[in-house]
Each structure stands twice: as structure tokens, then as C-alpha cells.
Amino acid sequence: MSRPPKILVFDSGLGGLTVFAEIAALRPDAQFVYAADEAGFPYGALPATALAPRVLAVMGRLIDLFSPDVAVIACNTASTLVLPHLRAAFPDLPFVGTVPAIKPAAQTSQSKMISVLATPGTVARDYTRGLIEAYAADCKVMLVGSSRLASLAEDFMQGDAPSDAAILDEIAPAFVEAEGRRTDAIALACTHYPLLIAQFERLAPWPVAWIDPAPAIARRTDHVLTAELGFAAGGGETARKPALAVFTGSKEAGPKLREALRLRGIAKIALEPMPLVFA
Ligand code: DGL
């Protein structure tokens, strides 16, 4: 295939930008649409019965509008629940998901005490428990569900810096000491969290390895494009094309957010309002 690929990166909000940045670095030739379901945010608070139809509806609209070659679900809360439904509903479109980085956290850990920092939705999923059984059976795993961190990361991107105390309250339960051992690896199992990594590192009670799955998701996306869809390799000196951001809310982005997006190569923002309606 000689044309550049079109990649749709989707999240409930701005967290997926951490994944978008890695994919954009690997595929500077691609045309990107970054979609944030701001009207449905936060996904971590939605019951599974509401989240699945919501993601299917929003993705259906986005796929109709943009006809991507590949869709990246840059959201653990959605991926751990909705990926099979998306693949069944859109069988011709490859999906790349984002699931808690429990395997690399277990492999990285020396103390065999790891934590999974995620939304309440993700920590409650059978899928997450399955990953622990499959890949971290030799570890003591602390599941930490935070109901506030994703919103604090959104505020941070809008230029409203969260207090150290608010962040520390959310991350502290991930640091465990027992029987002379302590947590040494924490999976960032919500794509919003790497947006706050500088604060996490500064406030951590002791140094740990913070595991961000974004580079692995970027490699997987590139593999789908080249090995499965036949696109040419996309590295090299190609100048990046400006990307488009689409928000499902009705609020215009403020100046701080526009600047944060511009710095990430997103030059245009479109609103595609899709209010969240509960049946
Ligand atoms: N970014 C999403 C994730 O990776 C969660 C944020 C939310 O609660 O909407 O899980």
C-alpha cells in the first residue's frame, strides 16, 4: 500500500495522548485522528452495562466519519471490557487495545511485590484478574483503584495543576511494605497516569519502576499496519502531518489545552457532540 495509513486513537479523554505520542513518533507518515469521549468521561465511573454500548456508539460514529485503517483503543477501562464487542461489530477494522501492563511489571520486579494503579472499573474486571493469574502468579499484587487521578490528569492538561497532597493520596496505597520487602514496580494501568509521571516520581515514598505500556502499543500498531495491512514502513525523515482532535463534548478547548495539543502535533480541534444518555 503506497498511501499513508490513517490511524484513529481513542480514549475517554486526554489520557490516550500518551499513546498517541508514541505511535506518532513511530509512524510520522500517518494521518492521525485523536478522539476523546469527553461527554462520557470518566469511563472508570460508568457501570459495564453503560460503558459497552457507549463505546460502541461513539466508535461507530467515528468509524463512519473517518474510515480509519486501524483503531487504537488507548484506554484500559474500555479495552478490558469492550474489545471483543468492537471486533464483533466492526470485523473489517483491526483494533489495538490497551490492557494493564501486569506482565512487564512482574518481569521487572525484583521484590515480586507489584501494584496496578488503575480506574475502579479496570481493577474490578475479570480481564485484569486473568492477567494477574497468567503473568504474575509469583508476585504479590496490590490492585489500587483510583476514582480521582484521571480527572486530576485532565485538570493538569487544562492548565490547572493538582495539589501534591491530592496526588499523593491516590498513589500512596500502591506502595506496600511487608516482611522486609516492598513494592518495586507499578503498572500505570490508565493512560491518563503517565501525564502525571513527573509528579508521581517526585512524590513517590521510594523509587519504583513505573510501567507505561504506550511504547509497546505503538510497536503493536506499527506491526498491524505493516505485517497485517501491507503498509510500507513509516519511519525515516518524513515530516509529521498535523493531526486532528475530535471531542464528543460541547465545550471548546481552552488556551492551555490548545497549546498542549499543538505541542503534540495536533493542530485542529473539532467538536462532534454526543451527549451521554442513559437508557
Ligand atoms: N484513560 C482511561 C484508561 O486508560 C481511563 C480514564 C477514565 O476513567 O475515563 O483507563
Side-chain angles (χ1 to χ4, degrees), residues 11-13 15-16 41-45 74-78 119 122 150 189-192:
D11 182 30
S12 58
F41 180 88
Y43 278 0
C75 175
N76 295 260
T77 313
T119 66
T122 298
C190 168
T191 52
H192 279 72

Side-chain angles (χ1 to χ4, degrees), residues 157 252-263 266-267 269:
M157 293 297 284
E252 295 285 344
K256 288 270 169 49
L257 177 56
R258 284 183 174 276
E259 178 61 6
L261 294 174
R262 194 190 63 76
L263 289 172
I266 298 177
I269 304 172

Side-chain angles (χ1 to χ4, degrees), residues 44-166:
L46 289 185
T49 47
L51 180 56
R54 173 67 187 176
V55 174
L56 282 167
V58 176
M59 285 303 292
R61 172 90 69 99
L62 294 167
I63 291 164
D64 277 354
L65 284 171
F66 299 108
S67 309
D69 296 301
V70 60
V72 180
I73 308 300
C75 175
N76 295 260
T77 313
S79 296
T80 49
L81 182 74
V82 193
L83 271 178
H85 304 284
L86 285 167
R87 290 186 172 125
F90 308 101
D92 298 330
L93 178 64
F95 286 89
V96 176
T98 305
V99 299
I102 289 166
K103 186 180 180 183
Q107 285 170 342
T108 302
S109 176
Q110 302 285 316
S111 68
K112 296 298 165 197
M113 284 180 68
I114 67 173
S115 293
V116 180
L117 191 57
T119 66
T122 298
V123 300
R125 300 260 190 271
D126 290 343
Y127 191 94
T128 303
R129 285 166 207 278
L131 289 176
I132 293 171
E133 277 163 32
Y135 300 115
D138 60 340
C139 292
K140 205 166 150 35
V141 182
M142 174 65 98
L143 283 168
V144 180
S146 167
S147 49
R148 291 187 65 206
L149 270 181
S151 297
L152 294 175
E154 291 275 312
D155 294 347
F156 177 65
M157 293 297 284
Q158 304 273 5
D160 186 3
S163 73
D164 286 358

Side-chain angles (χ1 to χ4, degrees), residues 137-278:
D138 60 340
C139 292
K140 205 166 150 35
V141 182
M142 174 65 98
L143 283 168
V144 180
S146 167
S147 49
R148 291 187 65 206
L149 270 181
S151 297
L152 294 175
E154 291 275 312
D155 294 347
F156 177 65
M157 293 297 284
Q158 304 273 5
D160 186 3
S163 73
D164 286 358
I167 293 180
L168 190 55
D169 266 1
E170 301 302 303
I171 66 170
F175 289 81
V176 182
E177 265 184 306
E179 295 156 13
R181 293 186 295 152
R182 59 190 194 178
T183 310
D184 65 354
I186 299 179
L188 296 167
C190 168
T191 52
H192 279 72
Y193 301 169
L195 295 170
L196 297 171
I197 191 66
Q199 290 91 322
F200 288 1
E201 284 177 342
R202 181 168 53 78
L203 297 168
W206 57 80
V208 294
W210 299 96
I211 313 289
D212 177 1
I217 296 160
R219 290 194 296 276
R220 173 76 198 140
T221 306
D222 187 42
H223 176 84
V224 169
L225 289 172
T226 52
E228 293 179 21
L229 299 176
F231 283 95
E237 299 302 307
T238 326
R240 266 181 64 184
K241 294 180 178 52
L244 168 70
V246 179
F247 295 149
T248 61
S250 48
K251 212 173 95 207
E252 295 285 344
K256 288 270 169 49
L257 177 56
R258 284 183 174 276
E259 178 61 6
L261 294 174
R262 194 190 63 76
L263 289 172
R264 288 167 170 81
I266 298 177
K268 253 179 83 183
I269 304 172
L271 295 181
E272 181 65 24
M274 284 190 71
L276 181 65
V277 184
F278 287 102

